């Protein structure tokens, strides 16, 4: 078997067409057989009834006028168009009347009145035909045969057989058309999808499955698979980012750590030097662990499925707890942390992650919002509702972030202060953005005039009740 | 002194842990895989188990589940490279009592192990009054006194002191305080816990000669009388 034919036989379209053909042929055959069989029985029954009526008429003739009257009745009936079959013979087998010239001899011998199917011919040289006959003995050694030609039934069967042949041709044609349609339309789509999948597997992750645009099952499948590919691409991008970040930003502190150890090994003069170097090394390694943890946490949050682990969360309560936790820190530094909470319904979220995001925003303000003019640091945590979104914002009165830097400051390891002498790794806002995305929201940085306003929007939990009374201007100083 | 079983397949890490625990006066046994660990835990009377999550032959969570199924309630500290909130939840739901992500500082591990080892046994007596030297914390009356003088505490300060006194004589880390007093699992970059501790300290130690709330450098805090490691003197009430 050649390869293209083998491939053809393996296709679903071919198998479907073959199945379609088999089922339709089977059904048509069954229908025709049953019609033909029932019609045949009905027609035979009618023939037998006609024969019986003829016999009745002839036996009346015989009763009234004997053999002579019978002969004359048969002669007159035999001349009619569409005449039945008659044969009247004497004891020696001589034909006295009738319209049959040839007949198997046994038929006249078994004159028991039973119904038989026989072959006969009307005239000399005519073709043999089929008939249903009854043969009787008539007193005086005569025998009478009356029958009916079955030509009509045969013609009817021929017509049915013809119809069956035409029907089969139609069915086969339909199967071919179906196969052509399925293979052209459906298989082509599947082949196109398979080709795209191969390209994607070869590493071209930006490739997507083709859409016909008619919204059929294949389009719906392609849309779902494309959405899955979008997600995979995003995760792969995240993975690449983490790898790149590790390469770029973790190598520096690792190199510093290594140089310090080498220098100490070379130059240390006593236990005090060693101890000092080891303590500095532990401090550095703790910093590295923090960076790793932060990176992993961001990657983990980015990879989390949004419908997993999100439940109705009281954002106001989180804001209050975090203000209670951080209020004293600001107070010790002469600043103040205020709460501005409007009554809002619960948000759909993860309590720990929302708290983490809020902590990152507050710590960000603590680190970067110190004013140069000696004005005390003021941080305000706000909770508001806007349609079905819960807005959680942190505003400070620091120097803020220039509009051109606001987009990139949320990228990993981005720190606006170039000397990098301030504490921090530039990962805090990346984590907040990842948390916002997990919650189906965004992190927006804006101008608080003065200072920075960082706003996180969360989705309100469905059917959540509105929270308690607002506590506007609740100072925690 | 406590008997501690370390179930950890990394020989170096396990040896380092055992050495550290022995240095502070505990007894430490080691098991290198899940099966061995489970049978040792079932046979020996240990005060605390330290179980790594990823183990050969039988993973850590399955060891803990098998242990709990057999009716053994020895406190378990889970060690794992998986440290996210949902990992911790999975570990604690499997029957672990505490969870420490790797890499960890030995001081933090020691603090947690000791906290587990001295934790009041469930169903036993429940202390209603904690006492350390002349400091008294009445949990029922929600009242704190030192040398007979009332010390007014905010609710969160009360819980902070309560946790510290519950683990009197032991080191309590900043993370443990954040987890147990505020019930949040994250790592603050700022000195947020120190600020709360310093406020509490100013209330309970400021006007007295002997400071009770002490900072343990590089580790955390401890409530202790003088410089000894003795535990709290506790009142017990059948409950």
């Amino acid at each position: 078997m050649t390869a293209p034919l083998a491939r053809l036989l393996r296709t679903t379209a071919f198998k479907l067409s073959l199945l379609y053909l088999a089922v339709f042929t089977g059904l048509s055959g069954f229908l025709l057989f049953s019609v033909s069989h029932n019609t045949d029985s009905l027609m035979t029954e009618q023939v037998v009834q006609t024969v019986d009526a003829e016999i009745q008429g002839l036996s009346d003739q015989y009763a009234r006028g004997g053999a002579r009257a019978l002969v004359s009745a048969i002669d007159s009936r035999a001349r009619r168009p569409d005449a039945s079959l008659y044969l009247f013979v004497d004891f020696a087998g001589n034909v006295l009347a009738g319209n049959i010239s040839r007949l198997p001899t046994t038929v006249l011998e078994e004159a028991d009145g039973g119904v038989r199917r026989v072959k006969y011919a009307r005239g000399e040289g005519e073709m043999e035909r089929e008939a249903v006959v009854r043969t009787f003995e008539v007193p005086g050694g005569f025998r009478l045969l009356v029958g009916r030609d079955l030509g009509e039934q045969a013609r009817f069967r021929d017509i049915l057989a013809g119809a069956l042949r035409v029907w089969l041709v139609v069915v086969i044609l339909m199967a071919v058309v179906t196969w052509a349609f399925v293979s052209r339309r459906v298989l082509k789509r599947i082949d196109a999808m398979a080709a795209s999948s191969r390209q994607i597997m070869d590493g071209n992750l930006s490739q997507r499955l083709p859409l016909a645009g008619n919204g059929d099952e294949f389009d719906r499948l392609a849309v779902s698979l494309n959405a899955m590919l979008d997600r995979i691409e995003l995760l792969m991008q995240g993975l690449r980012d983490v790898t790149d970040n590790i390469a770029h930003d973790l190598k520096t502190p690792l190199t510093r750590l290594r140089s310090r150890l080498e220098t100490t090994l070379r130059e240390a003069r006593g236990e005090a030097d060693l101890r000092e170097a080891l303590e500095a090394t532990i401090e550095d390694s703790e910093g590295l662990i923090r960076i790793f943890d932060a990176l992993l946490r961001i990657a983990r949050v980015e990879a989390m499925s949004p419908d997993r682990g999100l439940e109705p969360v009281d954002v106001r309560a989180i804001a209050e707890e975090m203000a209670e936790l951080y209020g004293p820190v600001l107070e010790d530094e002469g600043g103040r942390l205020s709460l501005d909470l409007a009554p809002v319904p619960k948000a759909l979220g993860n309590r720990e992650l929302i708290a983490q995001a809020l902590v990152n925003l507050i710590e960000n303000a603590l680190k970067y919002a110190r004013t140069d003019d000696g004005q005390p640091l003021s941080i305000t945590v706000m909770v508001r509702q806007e349609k079905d979104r819960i807005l959680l914002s942190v505003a400070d009165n620091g120097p803020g972030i220039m509009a051109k830097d606001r987009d990139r400051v949320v990228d990993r390891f981005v720190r606006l202060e170039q000397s990098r002498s301030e504490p921090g790794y530039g990962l805090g806002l990346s984590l907040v953005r990842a948390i916002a995305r997990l919650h189906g929201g965004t992190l927006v940085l804006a101008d608080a005039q003065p200072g920075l306003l960082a706003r996180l929007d969360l989705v309100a939990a469905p059917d959540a009740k509105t929270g308690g009374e607002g506590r506007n201007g609740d100072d925690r100083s | 002194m406590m008997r501690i079983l370390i179930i950890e397949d990394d020989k170096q890490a396990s040896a380092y842990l055992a050495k550290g625990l022995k240095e502070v006066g505990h007894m430490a046994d080691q098991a290198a895989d899940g099966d061995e660990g489970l049978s040792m835990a079932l046979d020996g009377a240990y005060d605390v188990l330290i179980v790594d999550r990823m183990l050969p032959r039988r993973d850590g969570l399955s060891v803990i589940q098998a242990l709990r199924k057999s009716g053994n309630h020895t406190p378990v500290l889970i060690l794992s490279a998986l440290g996210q909130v949902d990992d911790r939840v999975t570990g604690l739901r499997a029957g672990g009592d505490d969870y420490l992500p790797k890499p960890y500082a030995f001081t933090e591990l020691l603090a947690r192990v000791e906290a587990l080892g001295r934790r009041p046994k469930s169903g036993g007596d429940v202390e209603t009054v904690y006492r350390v030297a002349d400091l008294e914390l009445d949990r029922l009356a929600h009242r704190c006194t030192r040398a007979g003088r009332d010390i007014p505490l905010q609710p969160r300060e009360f819980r902070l002191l309560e946790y510290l006194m519950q683990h009197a004589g032991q080191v309590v880390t900043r993370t443990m305080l954040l987890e147990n007093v505020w019930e949040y699992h994250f790592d603050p970059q700022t000195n947020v816990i120190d600020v709360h501790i310093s406020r509490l300290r100013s209330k309970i130690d400021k006007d007295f000669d002997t400071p009770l709330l002490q900072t343990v450098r590089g580790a955390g805090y401890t409530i202790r009388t003088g410089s000894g490691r003795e535990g709290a003197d506790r009142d017990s009430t059948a409950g």
Side-chain angles (χ1 to χ4, degrees):
Chain A
M1 197 181 290
T2 55
L5 187 59
R7 187 171 171 269
L8 177 76
L9 292 182
R10 273 202 307 273
T11 61
T12 310
F14 186 79
K15 286 176 190 160
L16 270 178
S17 310
L18 216 59
L19 182 72
Y20 169 82
L21 187 63
V23 168
F24 266 76
T25 311
L27 277 177
S28 317
F30 172 75
L31 192 70
L32 283 169
F33 171 78
S34 106
V35 167
S36 152
H37 178 77
N38 290 338
T39 318
D40 210 39
S41 312
L42 195 70
M43 289 174 86
T44 307
E45 202 179 308
Q46 279 178 346
V47 166
V48 170
Q49 279 173 4
T50 315
V51 169
D52 286 350
E54 293 269 9
I55 287 168
Q56 188 61 50
L58 291 174
S59 51
D60 286 352
Q61 293 287 336
Y62 181 78
R64 275 202 294 274
R68 192 174 297 275
L70 189 55
V71 169
S72 110
I74 288 174
D75 279 344
S76 83
R77 287 189 184 196
R79 276 197 295 274
R80 288 183 202 158
D82 192 29
S84 294
L85 301 172
Y86 308 98
L87 196 62
F88 187 48
V89 297
D90 63 9
F91 63 94
N94 299 314
V95 175
L96 301 177
N99 51 7
I100 295 175
S101 67
R102 207 162 68 241
L103 194 73
T105 46
T106 51
V107 178
L108 287 170
E109 281 163 15
E110 293 167 15
D112 55 1
V115 176
R116 281 188 193 78
R117 273 179 186 248
V118 297
K119 298 273 185 195
Y120 80 101
R122 273 186 199 257
E124 288 301 328
E126 272 192 26
M127 269 179 59
E128 276 202 335
R129 298 163 74 159
E130 204 179 16
V132 167
V133 299
R134 278 183 194 272
T135 319
F136 299 89
E137 271 203 23
V138 179
F142 303 104
R143 279 153 204 265
L144 172 64
L145 176 147
V146 179
R148 241 358 243 184
D149 188 278
L150 289 178
E152 262 179 54
Q153 265 169 281
R155 272 198 302 284
F156 184 72
R157 270 201 299 275
D158 285 348
I159 289 168
L160 277 184
L164 179 62
R165 278 193 292 276
V166 172
W167 180 236
L168 270 181
V169 170
V170 170
V171 166
I172 290 171
L173 275 176
M174 282 173 74
V176 170
V177 168
T178 309
W179 170 73
F181 174 79
V182 171
S183 59
R184 277 187 65 83
R185 295 290 301 272
V186 179
L187 285 185
K188 262 195 177 167
R189 303 272 306 273
I190 293 177
D191 281 348
M193 283 184 167
S196 304
S197 308
R198 274 194 298 278
Q199 285 185 22
I200 294 163
M201 279 189 288
D202 288 343
N204 182 6
L205 269 181
S206 56
Q207 174 77 28
R208 290 293 175 267
L209 299 179
L211 291 175
N214 54 10
D216 64 358
E217 305 88 324
F218 286 98
D219 263 13
R220 291 204 299 275
L221 179 68
V223 166
S224 300
L225 290 175
N226 284 343
M228 184 178 82
L229 287 167
D230 288 346
R231 181 106 184 100
I232 292 174
E233 195 186 12
L234 197 74
L235 293 180
M236 292 295 289
Q237 181 62 44
L239 196 66
R240 261 200 302 279
D241 286 351
V242 170
T243 321
D244 290 351
N245 298 155
I246 287 173
H248 286 122
D249 287 68
L250 286 180
K251 272 189 177 176
T252 314
L254 278 171
T255 311
R256 198 170 58 223
L257 199 143
R258 189 196 160 114
S259 323
R260 178 185 300 116
L261 288 175
E262 281 175 348
T263 315
T264 312
L265 208 56
R266 231 178 18 245
E267 297 172 0
R269 297 229 161 69
E271 201 186 318
D273 281 2
L274 290 174
R275 179 168 287 277
E276 191 186 327
L278 284 177
E279 279 171 0
T281 306
I282 288 175
E283 214 166 281
D284 276 354
S285 68
E286 272 171 4
L288 283 170
I289 290 168
R290 277 171 184 266
I291 299 179
F292 258 114
D293 279 349
L295 280 176
L296 290 176
R297 191 167 256 235
I298 294 168
R300 192 76 176 258
V301 170
E302 281 178 349
M304 268 169 85
S305 157
D307 54 1
R308 203 174 129 251
L310 299 191
E311 52 193 16
V313 171
D314 188 348
V315 180
R316 283 165 51 100
I318 294 175
E320 281 171 351
E321 281 166 0
M322 290 306 117
E324 187 256 0
L325 185 63
Y326 277 90
V329 178
L330 268 104
E331 201 180 310
D332 277 10
E333 299 190 5
R336 80 178 199 175
L337 178 62
S338 325
L339 278 175
D340 181 357
L341 308 178
V344 294
K346 288 190 171 177
L348 198 61
N350 176 313
R351 172 182 174 266
E352 286 275 349
L353 291 177
I354 294 173
Q356 170 86 71
L358 185 52
V359 162
N360 282 15
L361 293 177
I362 294 175
E363 293 203 340
N364 213 52
L366 271 168
K367 267 183 226 156
Y368 303 112
R370 281 167 222 286
T371 49
D372 295 332
D373 55 10
Q375 206 191 333
L377 174 60
S378 163
I379 299 177
T380 309
V381 176
M382 284 170 285
V383 175
R384 289 273 181 280
Q385 180 177 9
E386 202 168 88
K387 291 176 188 163
D388 62 339
R389 316 293 292 184
I390 311 292
L391 308 179
L392 174 62
S393 323
V394 174
D396 61 53
N397 62 343
I401 297 177
M402 307 258 280
K404 67 178 170 66
D405 292 328
R406 281 183 206 140
D407 281 340
R408 69 183 187 96
V409 78
V410 293
D411 288 337
R412 288 181 181 89
F413 289 113
V414 171
R415 293 167 64 191
L416 296 178
E417 184 249 343
Q418 291 301 318
S419 70
R420 301 202 163 207
S421 57
E422 291 281 327
Y425 311 106
L427 292 171
L429 289 179
S430 305
L431 181 56
V432 179
R433 181 176 61 179
I435 291 171
R437 282 181 182 166
L438 175 72
H439 287 80
T442 48
L443 167 66
V444 176
L445 298 181
D447 193 348
Q449 293 171 339
L452 180 70
L453 174 80
R455 196 181 66 219
L456 189 68
D457 67 322
L458 307 162
V459 182
D463 304 327
K465 297 271 184 297
T466 299
E469 287 302 305
R471 286 173 46 178
N472 292 330
D474 177 6
D475 282 2
R476 295 269 163 175
S477 50
Chain B
M1 198 266 299
M2 289 194 284
R3 284 198 67 191
I4 297 161
L5 173 64
I6 304 162
I7 312 178
E8 159 75 86
D9 61 323
D10 179 346
K11 287 206 179 83
Q12 223 178 328
S14 177
Y16 161 74
L17 254 182
K19 187 164 176 277
L21 290 170
K22 282 173 189 162
E23 273 170 12
V24 296
H26 299 302
M27 279 172 64
D29 289 343
Q30 291 161 259
D33 66 59
D35 281 346
E36 189 191 354
L38 180 60
S39 72
M40 283 174 77
L42 288 169
D43 291 346
Y46 291 101
D47 296 307
V48 175
L49 307 177
I50 298 174
V51 182
D52 184 24
R53 242 183 103 154
M54 282 176 270
L55 287 170
R57 295 175 71 180
R58 181 189 264 272
D59 78 89
L61 295 188
S62 133
V63 169
I64 299 166
Q65 279 161 341
L67 204 66
R68 297 294 184 243
K69 220 174 172 185
S70 72
N72 185 317
H73 294 289
T74 313
V76 172
L77 170 66
I78 302 174
L79 284 186
S80 175
L82 309 169
Q84 301 295 314
V85 172
D86 43 347
D87 299 322
R88 294 168 192 234
V89 169
T90 315
L92 297 175
R93 283 204 179 133
D97 297 278
D98 200 359
Y99 200 107
L100 186 60
K102 288 179 178 178
Y104 51 85
F106 180 74
T107 43
E108 165 115 41
L109 177 122
L110 187 64
R112 286 178 185 268
V113 165
E114 292 187 338
L116 282 180
R118 297 212 194 159
R119 165 183 96 136
K121 300 283 180 287
S122 57
D125 293 348
V126 176
E127 294 85 9
T128 56
V129 179
Y130 291 150
R131 282 201 193 94
V132 176
D134 53 352
L135 178 68
E136 253 188 44
L137 191 76
D138 187 333
R139 298 169 70 199
L140 285 182
H142 243 259
R143 187 160 167 242
C144 176
T145 55
R146 186 160 181 194
R149 270 162 58 188
D150 258 328
I151 299 177
L153 292 179
Q154 300 285 329
R156 193 74 69 174
E157 289 167 344
F158 190 90
R159 284 186 54 193
L160 192 57
L161 183 60
E162 183 182 21
Y163 189 80
L164 286 162
M165 289 184 80
Q166 195 181 358
H167 300 97
Q170 301 164 27
V171 176
V172 172
T173 67
R174 292 170 178 83
T175 333
M176 285 163 80
L177 290 172
L178 192 61
E179 282 176 9
N180 291 289
V181 177
W182 279 271
E183 289 164 8
Y184 281 103
H185 297 80
F186 52 75
D187 182 17
Q189 308 287 310
T190 47
N191 59 343
V192 55
I193 298 295
D194 304 63
V195 171
H196 286 268
I197 287 284
S198 106
R199 293 190 160 213
L200 179 64
R201 180 180 279 140
S202 74
K203 287 192 175 175
I204 64 169
D205 279 344
K206 198 177 162 194
D207 302 329
F208 300 91
D209 293 336
T210 326
L212 296 178
L213 180 47
Q214 297 173 0
T215 303
V216 181
R217 194 165 166 255
Y221 303 95
T222 184
I223 286 253
R224 62 173 67 141
T225 53
S227 57
R229 286 181 60 85
E230 79 263 37
D233 173 19
R234 293 170 182 182
D235 253 17
S236 290
T237 311

